[in-house]
Amino acid sequence: MVDLDQLVSEAKQSFSSTSDAVALEEVKAKYLGKSGLLTEMLKGLGKLDPDSRKTEGAKINAAKSAIEGALQERRQQLADDLLQARLSQEAIDVSLPGRGRGVGSLHPVMRTWERVEEIFHSLGFEVAQGPEIENDWYNFTALNSPENHPARSMQDTFYVEGHDSKDQSLLLRTHTSPMQIRFASNAVKTHLNNYGNLDDMPDIRVIAPGRTYRVDSDATHSPMFHQVEGLWIGKDVSFAALKGVYTHFLKSFFENKELNLRFRPSYFPFTEPSAEIDVAFPSGKLAGRWLEISGSGQVHPTVVRNMGLDPEHYIGFAFGSGLERLTMLRYGVDDLRLFFENDTRFLSQFPA
Ligand code: DAH
């Protein structure tokens, strides 16, 4: 008679010497398979007399379940080992920063754009936007820019092939000033349509921020840049109002009540008199210098006429400021090209 204890410990040994599930199932067949050792033994019981059959049967069954138990244990262990191996192979370092998309933020020039809108909105100015492909009338002629004005030359202006329906030549607008004419003449036309006269027409107060284009490129000029145009026309809008509005704007924009402003005589075809607005910071890196920030002036009578208004009765001011320039001064950026390179090392310094 086989020593069953011996058989059980031999089975356990061979189970534990297997290194994977396939090998284990092969070894299992030797003991528990259809013609395995224990199966054969159980078959052999038939030859015994009933009493020994009972006692031997019980012993064999006990050995069988001990082996089955050992098999089950080994299966579990191999499965656990496999899982552990996979886990350590696929280990992730949860302390590494995530690879999700970074949180975006507004481009610094767009921040300025929004800031400018907010400030002028609080002063009762509407915000308007116009086409970037403009025609000769709105960009130059209506603004009293003479035929031979240097801004019209091929060096300064991006002309677009073809003409519009009024046979006007087309160009990428060189400034936001055409919006003065577009917005004011539209307001005048609408009021006339509705009321038949201009008696009670409210003042026209608008800013028009947007992209502008010139053939220009260096540390302080870019072929595409942003401007904001401002216009206030009414029956009694003085140059003093320009000074008041623009001073309030700049002090709010730079969050500095101590700013000094200077209105320096200048020339623009669309204003008379015209002034360049300079600003001086009381402290900081830029202290003590006059920095040019905007063109401005009292709207020229010819331009008022081109808005559909009688310059004998309507008067006002306009200004045009560069948004990049405002942004550079606010944040201390000294190269304009940084705004257009989209280097995130620069842009991420302006978090949301
Ligand atoms: N359009 C001028 C420019 O691009 C800026 C400007 C000057 C706008 C005087 C104005 C103004 O409205 O009154 O250089």
Side-chain angles (χ1 to χ4, degrees):
M1 192 68 215
V2 199
D3 182 339
L4 283 171
D5 290 342
Q6 172 96 32
L7 190 69
V8 170
S9 69
E10 188 195 299
K12 281 185 180 169
Q13 197 108 59
S14 15
F15 289 162
S16 51
S17 63
T18 56
S19 54
D20 60 50
V22 178
L24 179 64
E25 296 312 311
E26 270 165 22
V27 177
K28 168 208 151 180
K30 178 178 167 196
Y31 299 96
L32 303 169
K34 258 189 219 154
S35 46
L37 288 170
L38 284 135
T39 323
E40 290 301 324
M41 279 182 197
L42 287 167
K43 281 185 198 157
L45 284 176
K47 292 186 211 128
L48 300 177
D49 62 83
D51 277 351
S52 342
R53 191 186 302 158
K54 210 170 167 186
T55 48
E56 284 306 308
K59 282 188 205 158
I60 297 171
N61 273 325
K64 189 182 170 199
S65 58
I67 292 174
E68 279 169 346
L71 174 71
Q72 204 43 48
E73 213 172 287
R74 184 64 186 152
R75 276 183 181 148
Q76 189 60 49
Q77 198 175 15
L78 286 174
D80 288 351
D81 290 353
L82 200 64
L83 183 65
Q84 275 313 318
R86 271 188 57 189
L87 284 179
S88 57
Q89 202 176 33
E90 295 168 10
I92 47 165
D93 182 350
V94 291
S95 66
L96 283 174
R99 250 180 296 166
R101 284 165 196 237
V103 182
S105 59
L106 265 193
H107 189 280
V109 174
M110 291 300 128
R111 286 177 165 228
T112 295
W113 180 321
E114 289 199 345
R115 232 180 130 64
V116 168
E117 285 190 2
E118 261 170 43
I119 296 167
F120 279 102
H121 214 96
S122 78
L123 293 171
F125 280 72
E126 287 184 64
V127 177
Q129 289 197 44
E132 288 171 31
I133 297 178
E134 200 35 289
N135 70 24
D136 192 86
W137 165 256
Y138 285 113
N139 197 83
F140 294 124
T141 314
L143 290 166
N144 197 33
S145 291
E147 206 71 60
N148 55 356
H149 192 278
R152 292 193 181 212
S153 82
M154 292 303 280
Q155 286 106 54
D156 290 356
T157 304
F158 288 110
Y159 283 94
V160 175
E161 271 180 33
H163 291 77
D164 70 3
S165 56
K166 291 191 179 119
D167 209 30
Q168 289 279 320
S169 56
L170 295 168
L171 52 112
L172 300 184
R173 64 178 177 187
T174 57
H175 50 180
T176 44
S177 303
M179 277 306 288
Q180 289 187 30
I181 307 288
R182 283 186 177 274
F183 189 87
S185 57
N186 204 40
V188 169
K189 246 183 249 156
T190 307
H191 197 87
L192 275 178
N193 275 344
N194 291 340
Y195 302 98
N197 61 59
L198 295 177
D199 293 347
D200 297 318
M201 189 179 74
D203 285 6
I204 294 166
R205 247 181 309 191
V206 67
I207 59 160
R211 275 176 280 276
T212 48
Y213 303 84
R214 281 180 212 174
V215 183
D216 232 348
S217 189
D218 61 39
T220 53
H221 296 91
S222 148
M224 189 284 295
F225 58 104
H226 298 80
Q227 282 190 336
V228 57
E229 194 73 15
L231 177 72
W232 186 345
I233 296 280
K235 292 215 167 92
D236 189 19
V237 181
S238 68
F239 206 92
L242 163 65
K243 288 181 123 178
V245 164
Y246 209 87
T247 303
H248 171 83
F249 161 64
L250 274 195
K251 289 184 173 181
S252 311
F253 182 81
F254 289 112
E255 297 171 277
N256 191 335
K257 288 200 175 73
E258 314 302 322
L259 286 187
N260 284 311
L261 271 78
R262 178 171 79 173
F263 289 75
R264 180 166 42 86
S266 184
Y267 171 78
F268 296 101
F270 28 89
T271 43
E272 183 56 40
S274 306
E276 208 77 63
I277 307 174
D278 299 337
V279 64
F281 292 88
S283 58
K285 259 208 316 209
L286 298 168
R289 278 165 52 197
W290 285 110
L291 304 156
E292 192 175 306
I293 201 132
S294 185
S296 68
Q298 191 162 302
V299 180
H300 193 286
T302 302
V303 177
V304 174
R305 197 171 294 113
N306 288 335
M307 291 170 177
L309 293 169
D310 177 359
E312 292 297 326
H313 295 106
Y314 289 89
I315 190 163
F317 66 79
F319 60 83
S321 319
L323 295 185
E324 279 80 7
R325 178 92 175 138
L326 285 165
T327 313
M328 287 169 87
L329 292 176
R330 181 163 156 81
Y331 296 111
V333 175
D334 51 20
D335 192 330
L336 179 97
R337 289 169 289 204
L338 286 167
F339 290 137
F340 307 112
E341 282 165 0
N342 280 339
D343 186 332
T344 51
R345 288 171 302 178
F346 172 70
L347 296 176
S348 63
Q349 292 175 54
F350 304 86

PDB file of all heavy atoms in Angstrom, residues 161-190:
ATOM      1  N   GLU A 161      -5.898  93.012 -53.298  1.00  0.00           N
ATOM      2  CA  GLU A 161      -6.254  93.099 -54.720  1.00  0.00           C
ATOM      3  C   GLU A 161      -7.744  93.294 -54.898  1.00  0.00           C
ATOM      4  O   GLU A 161      -8.543  92.787 -54.115  1.00  0.00           O
ATOM      5  CB  GLU A 161      -5.827  91.820 -55.441  1.00  0.00           C
ATOM      6  CG  GLU A 161      -4.409  91.923 -55.958  1.00  0.00           C
ATOM      7  CD  GLU A 161      -3.949  90.667 -56.674  1.00  0.00           C
ATOM      8  OE1 GLU A 161      -4.821  90.020 -57.302  1.00  0.00           O
ATOM      9  OE2 GLU A 161      -2.754  90.364 -56.582  1.00  0.00           O
ATOM     10  N   GLY A 162      -8.094  94.022 -55.930  1.00  0.00           N
ATOM     11  CA  GLY A 162      -9.515  94.187 -56.258  1.00  0.00           C
ATOM     12  C   GLY A 162     -10.117  95.415 -55.602  1.00  0.00           C
ATOM     13  O   GLY A 162      -9.453  96.151 -54.869  1.00  0.00           O
ATOM     14  N   HIS A 163     -11.404  95.619 -55.890  1.00  0.00           N
ATOM     15  CA  HIS A 163     -12.123  96.791 -55.403  1.00  0.00           C
ATOM     16  C   HIS A 163     -13.441  96.355 -54.818  1.00  0.00           C
ATOM     17  O   HIS A 163     -13.942  95.280 -55.117  1.00  0.00           O
ATOM     18  CB  HIS A 163     -12.361  97.782 -56.558  1.00  0.00           C
ATOM     19  CG  HIS A 163     -11.092  98.420 -57.027  1.00  0.00           C
ATOM     20  ND1 HIS A 163     -10.193  97.754 -57.829  1.00  0.00           N
ATOM     21  CD2 HIS A 163     -10.568  99.651 -56.785  1.00  0.00           C
ATOM     22  CE1 HIS A 163      -9.155  98.565 -58.062  1.00  0.00           C
ATOM     23  NE2 HIS A 163      -9.366  99.719 -57.439  1.00  0.00           N
ATOM     24  N   ASP A 164     -14.036  97.208 -53.985  1.00  0.00           N
ATOM     25  CA  ASP A 164     -15.351  96.851 -53.442  1.00  0.00           C
ATOM     26  C   ASP A 164     -16.463  97.319 -54.391  1.00  0.00           C
ATOM     27  O   ASP A 164     -16.187  97.835 -55.486  1.00  0.00           O
ATOM     28  CB  ASP A 164     -15.519  97.371 -52.014  1.00  0.00           C
ATOM     29  CG  ASP A 164     -15.645  98.884 -51.955  1.00  0.00           C
ATOM     30  OD1 ASP A 164     -15.664  99.530 -53.037  1.00  0.00           O
ATOM     31  OD2 ASP A 164     -15.725  99.415 -50.826  1.00  0.00           O
ATOM     32  N   SER A 165     -17.716  97.168 -53.953  1.00  0.00           N
ATOM     33  CA  SER A 165     -18.834  97.454 -54.857  1.00  0.00           C
ATOM     34  C   SER A 165     -18.909  98.937 -55.222  1.00  0.00           C
ATOM     35  O   SER A 165     -19.532  99.305 -56.209  1.00  0.00           O
ATOM     36  CB  SER A 165     -20.141  96.999 -54.204  1.00  0.00           C
ATOM     37  OG  SER A 165     -20.254  97.644 -52.944  1.00  0.00           O
ATOM     38  N   LYS A 166     -18.268  99.798 -54.428  1.00  0.00           N
ATOM     39  CA  LYS A 166     -18.264 101.242 -54.773  1.00  0.00           C
ATOM     40  C   LYS A 166     -16.986 101.624 -55.502  1.00  0.00           C
ATOM     41  O   LYS A 166     -16.596 102.794 -55.532  1.00  0.00           O
ATOM     42  CB  LYS A 166     -18.429 102.069 -53.501  1.00  0.00           C
ATOM     43  CG  LYS A 166     -19.820 101.901 -52.915  1.00  0.00           C
ATOM     44  CD  LYS A 166     -20.091 102.903 -51.831  1.00  0.00           C
ATOM     45  CE  LYS A 166     -21.493 102.726 -51.282  1.00  0.00           C
ATOM     46  NZ  LYS A 166     -21.513 102.400 -49.861  1.00  0.00           N
ATOM     47  N   ASP A 167     -16.303 100.592 -56.026  1.00  0.00           N
ATOM     48  CA  ASP A 167     -15.064 100.775 -56.765  1.00  0.00           C
ATOM     49  C   ASP A 167     -13.940 101.404 -55.927  1.00  0.00           C
ATOM     50  O   ASP A 167     -13.037 102.052 -56.440  1.00  0.00           O
ATOM     51  CB  ASP A 167     -15.301 101.599 -58.038  1.00  0.00           C
ATOM     52  CG  ASP A 167     -14.287 101.213 -59.115  1.00  0.00           C
ATOM     53  OD1 ASP A 167     -13.844 100.035 -59.111  1.00  0.00           O
ATOM     54  OD2 ASP A 167     -13.914 102.080 -59.917  1.00  0.00           O
ATOM     55  N   GLN A 168     -14.032 101.202 -54.634  1.00  0.00           N
ATOM     56  CA  GLN A 168     -12.980 101.683 -53.738  1.00  0.00           C
ATOM     57  C   GLN A 168     -11.889 100.623 -53.659  1.00  0.00           C
ATOM     58  O   GLN A 168     -12.193  99.426 -53.633  1.00  0.00           O
ATOM     59  CB  GLN A 168     -13.555 101.846 -52.332  1.00  0.00           C
ATOM     60  CG  GLN A 168     -14.510 103.001 -52.179  1.00  0.00           C
ATOM     61  CD  GLN A 168     -13.741 104.297 -52.006  1.00  0.00           C
ATOM     62  OE1 GLN A 168     -12.740 104.347 -51.322  1.00  0.00           O
ATOM     63  NE2 GLN A 168     -14.229 105.332 -52.670  1.00  0.00           N
ATOM     64  N   SER A 169     -10.630 101.066 -53.591  1.00  0.00           N
ATOM     65  CA  SER A 169      -9.588 100.060 -53.408  1.00  0.00           C
ATOM     66  C   SER A 169      -9.622  99.555 -51.958  1.00  0.00           C
ATOM     67  O   SER A 169     -10.096 100.240 -51.057  1.00  0.00           O
ATOM     68  CB  SER A 169      -8.225 100.617 -53.783  1.00  0.00           C
ATOM     69  OG  SER A 169      -7.973 101.774 -53.044  1.00  0.00           O
ATOM     70  N   LEU A 170      -9.131  98.333 -51.776  1.00  0.00           N
ATOM     71  CA  LEU A 170      -9.226  97.669 -50.475  1.00  0.00           C
ATOM     72  C   LEU A 170      -7.856  97.523 -49.831  1.00  0.00           C
ATOM     73  O   LEU A 170      -6.849  97.388 -50.518  1.00  0.00           O
ATOM     74  CB  LEU A 170      -9.858  96.288 -50.655  1.00  0.00           C
ATOM     75  CG  LEU A 170     -11.305  96.307 -51.140  1.00  0.00           C
ATOM     76  CD1 LEU A 170     -11.741  94.909 -51.568  1.00  0.00           C
ATOM     77  CD2 LEU A 170     -12.226  96.829 -50.045  1.00  0.00           C
ATOM     78  N   LEU A 171      -7.831  97.540 -48.517  1.00  0.00           N
ATOM     79  CA  LEU A 171      -6.569  97.435 -47.791  1.00  0.00           C
ATOM     80  C   LEU A 171      -6.840  96.899 -46.398  1.00  0.00           C
ATOM     81  O   LEU A 171      -7.969  96.924 -45.927  1.00  0.00           O
ATOM     82  CB  LEU A 171      -5.906  98.824 -47.708  1.00  0.00           C
ATOM     83  CG  LEU A 171      -6.810  99.950 -47.176  1.00  0.00           C
ATOM     84  CD1 LEU A 171      -6.334 100.414 -45.836  1.00  0.00           C
ATOM     85  CD2 LEU A 171      -6.858 101.085 -48.178  1.00  0.00           C
ATOM     86  N   LEU A 172      -5.780  96.399 -45.763  1.00  0.00           N
ATOM     87  CA  LEU A 172      -5.909  96.047 -44.347  1.00  0.00           C
ATOM     88  C   LEU A 172      -5.844  97.363 -43.591  1.00  0.00           C
ATOM     89  O   LEU A 172      -4.906  98.138 -43.793  1.00  0.00           O
ATOM     90  CB  LEU A 172      -4.775  95.116 -43.916  1.00  0.00           C
ATOM     91  CG  LEU A 172      -4.705  93.787 -44.660  1.00  0.00           C
ATOM     92  CD1 LEU A 172      -3.588  92.905 -44.085  1.00  0.00           C
ATOM     93  CD2 LEU A 172      -6.039  93.045 -44.557  1.00  0.00           C
ATOM     94  N   ARG A 173      -6.820  97.636 -42.759  1.00  0.00           N
ATOM     95  CA  ARG A 173      -6.889  98.973 -42.156  1.00  0.00           C
ATOM     96  C   ARG A 173      -5.598  99.305 -41.412  1.00  0.00           C
ATOM     97  O   ARG A 173      -5.036  98.457 -40.710  1.00  0.00           O
ATOM     98  CB  ARG A 173      -8.105  99.100 -41.231  1.00  0.00           C
ATOM     99  CG  ARG A 173      -8.055  98.188 -40.032  1.00  0.00           C
ATOM    100  CD  ARG A 173      -9.267  98.415 -39.149  1.00  0.00           C
ATOM    101  NE  ARG A 173      -9.259  97.496 -38.025  1.00  0.00           N
ATOM    102  CZ  ARG A 173     -10.252  97.369 -37.156  1.00  0.00           C
ATOM    103  NH1 ARG A 173     -11.356  98.088 -37.306  1.00  0.00           N
ATOM    104  NH2 ARG A 173     -10.159  96.522 -36.166  1.00  0.00           N
ATOM    105  N   THR A 174      -5.126 100.532 -41.614  1.00  0.00           N
ATOM    106  CA  THR A 174      -3.845 100.930 -41.029  1.00  0.00           C
ATOM    107  C   THR A 174      -4.027 101.522 -39.637  1.00  0.00           C
ATOM    108  O   THR A 174      -3.072 101.797 -38.936  1.00  0.00           O
ATOM    109  CB  THR A 174      -3.148 101.978 -41.914  1.00  0.00           C
ATOM    110  OG1 THR A 174      -4.048 103.087 -42.058  1.00  0.00           O
ATOM    111  CG2 THR A 174      -2.837 101.416 -43.286  1.00  0.00           C
ATOM    112  N   HIS A 175      -5.288 101.773 -39.260  1.00  0.00           N
ATOM    113  CA  HIS A 175      -5.609 102.274 -37.918  1.00  0.00           C
ATOM    114  C   HIS A 175      -7.089 101.973 -37.650  1.00  0.00           C
ATOM    115  O   HIS A 175      -7.813 101.512 -38.540  1.00  0.00           O
ATOM    116  CB  HIS A 175      -5.297 103.769 -37.787  1.00  0.00           C
ATOM    117  CG  HIS A 175      -5.848 104.641 -38.879  1.00  0.00           C
ATOM    118  ND1 HIS A 175      -5.671 105.993 -38.934  1.00  0.00           N
ATOM    119  CD2 HIS A 175      -6.601 104.351 -39.975  1.00  0.00           C
ATOM    120  CE1 HIS A 175      -6.263 106.502 -39.991  1.00  0.00           C
ATOM    121  NE2 HIS A 175      -6.828 105.523 -40.645  1.00  0.00           N
ATOM    122  N   THR A 176      -7.525 102.214 -36.418  1.00  0.00           N
ATOM    123  CA  THR A 176      -8.935 101.966 -36.093  1.00  0.00           C
ATOM    124  C   THR A 176      -9.788 103.208 -36.361  1.00  0.00           C
ATOM    125  O   THR A 176     -11.003 103.182 -36.202  1.00  0.00           O
ATOM    126  CB  THR A 176      -9.083 101.558 -34.613  1.00  0.00           C
ATOM    127  OG1 THR A 176      -8.271 102.410 -33.803  1.00  0.00           O
ATOM    128  CG2 THR A 176      -8.682 100.109 -34.392  1.00  0.00           C
ATOM    129  N   SER A 177      -9.145 104.302 -36.818  1.00  0.00           N
ATOM    130  CA  SER A 177      -9.877 105.547 -37.045  1.00  0.00           C
ATOM    131  C   SER A 177     -11.059 105.430 -38.018  1.00  0.00           C
ATOM    132  O   SER A 177     -12.045 106.152 -37.846  1.00  0.00           O
ATOM    133  CB  SER A 177      -8.916 106.648 -37.498  1.00  0.00           C
ATOM    134  OG  SER A 177      -7.897 106.816 -36.527  1.00  0.00           O
ATOM    135  N   PRO A 178     -10.991 104.547 -39.053  1.00  0.00           N
ATOM    136  CA  PRO A 178     -12.173 104.440 -39.931  1.00  0.00           C
ATOM    137  C   PRO A 178     -13.461 104.148 -39.168  1.00  0.00           C
ATOM    138  O   PRO A 178     -14.555 104.495 -39.627  1.00  0.00           O
ATOM    139  CB  PRO A 178     -11.818 103.302 -40.902  1.00  0.00           C
ATOM    140  CG  PRO A 178     -10.523 102.719 -40.446  1.00  0.00           C
ATOM    141  CD  PRO A 178      -9.877 103.733 -39.569  1.00  0.00           C
ATOM    142  N   MET A 179     -13.341 103.560 -37.981  1.00  0.00           N
ATOM    143  CA  MET A 179     -14.536 103.263 -37.190  1.00  0.00           C
ATOM    144  C   MET A 179     -15.242 104.533 -36.719  1.00  0.00           C
ATOM    145  O   MET A 179     -16.427 104.507 -36.422  1.00  0.00           O
ATOM    146  CB  MET A 179     -14.185 102.360 -36.003  1.00  0.00           C
ATOM    147  CG  MET A 179     -14.133 100.899 -36.369  1.00  0.00           C
ATOM    148  SD  MET A 179     -15.661 100.364 -37.159  1.00  0.00           S
ATOM    149  CE  MET A 179     -16.792 100.380 -35.759  1.00  0.00           C
ATOM    150  N   GLN A 180     -14.497 105.646 -36.653  1.00  0.00           N
ATOM    151  CA  GLN A 180     -15.147 106.923 -36.313  1.00  0.00           C
ATOM    152  C   GLN A 180     -16.258 107.210 -37.319  1.00  0.00           C
ATOM    153  O   GLN A 180     -17.390 107.517 -36.946  1.00  0.00           O
ATOM    154  CB  GLN A 180     -14.142 108.074 -36.401  1.00  0.00           C
ATOM    155  CG  GLN A 180     -13.093 108.114 -35.313  1.00  0.00           C
ATOM    156  CD  GLN A 180     -12.268 109.398 -35.416  1.00  0.00           C
ATOM    157  OE1 GLN A 180     -12.763 110.426 -35.869  1.00  0.00           O
ATOM    158  NE2 GLN A 180     -11.018 109.323 -34.998  1.00  0.00           N
ATOM    159  N   ILE A 181     -15.881 107.127 -38.594  1.00  0.00           N
ATOM    160  CA  ILE A 181     -16.833 107.452 -39.663  1.00  0.00           C
ATOM    161  C   ILE A 181     -17.936 106.400 -39.737  1.00  0.00           C
ATOM    162  O   ILE A 181     -19.124 106.721 -39.805  1.00  0.00           O
ATOM    163  CB  ILE A 181     -16.114 107.529 -41.034  1.00  0.00           C
ATOM    164  CG1 ILE A 181     -14.925 108.481 -40.966  1.00  0.00           C
ATOM    165  CG2 ILE A 181     -17.089 107.916 -42.123  1.00  0.00           C
ATOM    166  CD1 ILE A 181     -15.289 109.942 -40.883  1.00  0.00           C
ATOM    167  N   ARG A 182     -17.544 105.129 -39.710  1.00  0.00           N
ATOM    168  CA  ARG A 182     -18.551 104.062 -39.806  1.00  0.00           C
ATOM    169  C   ARG A 182     -19.580 104.190 -38.690  1.00  0.00           C
ATOM    170  O   ARG A 182     -20.785 104.155 -38.925  1.00  0.00           O
ATOM    171  CB  ARG A 182     -17.887 102.683 -39.711  1.00  0.00           C
ATOM    172  CG  ARG A 182     -17.202 102.254 -40.985  1.00  0.00           C
ATOM    173  CD  ARG A 182     -16.702 100.815 -40.862  1.00  0.00           C
ATOM    174  NE  ARG A 182     -16.112 100.374 -42.103  1.00  0.00           N
ATOM    175  CZ  ARG A 182     -16.797  99.841 -43.101  1.00  0.00           C
ATOM    176  NH1 ARG A 182     -18.103  99.676 -43.004  1.00  0.00           N
ATOM    177  NH2 ARG A 182     -16.180  99.466 -44.208  1.00  0.00           N
ATOM    178  N   PHE A 183     -19.100 104.319 -37.466  1.00  0.00           N
ATOM    179  CA  PHE A 183     -20.027 104.305 -36.327  1.00  0.00           C
ATOM    180  C   PHE A 183     -20.868 105.569 -36.301  1.00  0.00           C
ATOM    181  O   PHE A 183     -22.097 105.507 -36.162  1.00  0.00           O
ATOM    182  CB  PHE A 183     -19.259 104.155 -35.009  1.00  0.00           C
ATOM    183  CG  PHE A 183     -20.174 103.929 -33.834  1.00  0.00           C
ATOM    184  CD1 PHE A 183     -20.577 102.646 -33.493  1.00  0.00           C
ATOM    185  CD2 PHE A 183     -20.662 105.007 -33.097  1.00  0.00           C
ATOM    186  CE1 PHE A 183     -21.450 102.434 -32.420  1.00  0.00           C
ATOM    187  CE2 PHE A 183     -21.526 104.806 -32.025  1.00  0.00           C
ATOM    188  CZ  PHE A 183     -21.922 103.510 -31.684  1.00  0.00           C
ATOM    189  N   ALA A 184     -20.220 106.750 -36.465  1.00  0.00           N
ATOM    190  CA  ALA A 184     -20.968 108.009 -36.347  1.00  0.00           C
ATOM    191  C   ALA A 184     -21.976 108.157 -37.485  1.00  0.00           C
ATOM    192  O   ALA A 184     -23.130 108.525 -37.244  1.00  0.00           O
ATOM    193  CB  ALA A 184     -19.998 109.180 -36.319  1.00  0.00           C
ATOM    194  N   SER A 185     -21.557 107.846 -38.720  1.00  0.00           N
ATOM    195  CA  SER A 185     -22.507 108.056 -39.819  1.00  0.00           C
ATOM    196  C   SER A 185     -23.688 107.096 -39.700  1.00  0.00           C
ATOM    197  O   SER A 185     -24.818 107.439 -40.050  1.00  0.00           O
ATOM    198  CB  SER A 185     -21.831 107.956 -41.184  1.00  0.00           C
ATOM    199  OG  SER A 185     -21.194 106.714 -41.311  1.00  0.00           O
ATOM    200  N   ASN A 186     -23.427 105.931 -39.170  1.00  0.00           N
ATOM    201  CA  ASN A 186     -24.508 104.969 -38.953  1.00  0.00           C
ATOM    202  C   ASN A 186     -25.483 105.473 -37.880  1.00  0.00           C
ATOM    203  O   ASN A 186     -26.701 105.394 -38.040  1.00  0.00           O
ATOM    204  CB  ASN A 186     -23.902 103.633 -38.535  1.00  0.00           C
ATOM    205  CG  ASN A 186     -24.826 102.498 -38.853  1.00  0.00           C
ATOM    206  OD1 ASN A 186     -25.455 102.512 -39.920  1.00  0.00           O
ATOM    207  ND2 ASN A 186     -24.949 101.550 -37.936  1.00  0.00           N
ATOM    208  N   ALA A 187     -24.915 106.024 -36.789  1.00  0.00           N
ATOM    209  CA  ALA A 187     -25.764 106.553 -35.714  1.00  0.00           C
ATOM    210  C   ALA A 187     -26.618 107.710 -36.239  1.00  0.00           C
ATOM    211  O   ALA A 187     -27.815 107.810 -35.930  1.00  0.00           O
ATOM    212  CB  ALA A 187     -24.890 107.016 -34.546  1.00  0.00           C
ATOM    213  N   VAL A 188     -26.002 108.573 -37.051  1.00  0.00           N
ATOM    214  CA  VAL A 188     -26.724 109.723 -37.607  1.00  0.00           C
ATOM    215  C   VAL A 188     -27.856 109.239 -38.521  1.00  0.00           C
ATOM    216  O   VAL A 188     -29.007 109.674 -38.399  1.00  0.00           O
ATOM    217  CB  VAL A 188     -25.747 110.647 -38.375  1.00  0.00           C
ATOM    218  CG1 VAL A 188     -26.494 111.690 -39.186  1.00  0.00           C
ATOM    219  CG2 VAL A 188     -24.766 111.304 -37.402  1.00  0.00           C
ATOM    220  N   LYS A 189     -27.523 108.299 -39.407  1.00  0.00           N
ATOM    221  CA  LYS A 189     -28.527 107.771 -40.350  1.00  0.00           C
ATOM    222  C   LYS A 189     -29.693 107.136 -39.602  1.00  0.00           C
ATOM    223  O   LYS A 189     -30.865 107.367 -39.919  1.00  0.00           O
ATOM    224  CB  LYS A 189     -27.873 106.724 -41.262  1.00  0.00           C
ATOM    225  CG  LYS A 189     -27.812 107.176 -42.712  1.00  0.00           C
ATOM    226  CD  LYS A 189     -27.230 106.079 -43.590  1.00  0.00           C
ATOM    227  CE  LYS A 189     -25.853 106.492 -44.090  1.00  0.00           C
ATOM    228  NZ  LYS A 189     -24.990 105.388 -44.453  1.00  0.00           N
ATOM    229  N   THR A 190     -29.359 106.333 -38.587  1.00  0.00           N
ATOM    230  CA  THR A 190     -30.406 105.651 -37.823  1.00  0.00           C
ATOM    231  C   THR A 190     -31.301 106.668 -37.126  1.00  0.00           C
ATOM    232  O   THR A 190     -32.535 106.550 -37.139  1.00  0.00           O
ATOM    233  CB  THR A 190     -29.765 104.715 -36.765  1.00  0.00           C
ATOM    234  OG1 THR A 190     -28.836 103.861 -37.431  1.00  0.00           O
ATOM    235  CG2 THR A 190     -30.800 103.881 -36.052  1.00  0.00           C
TER     236      THR A 190
END
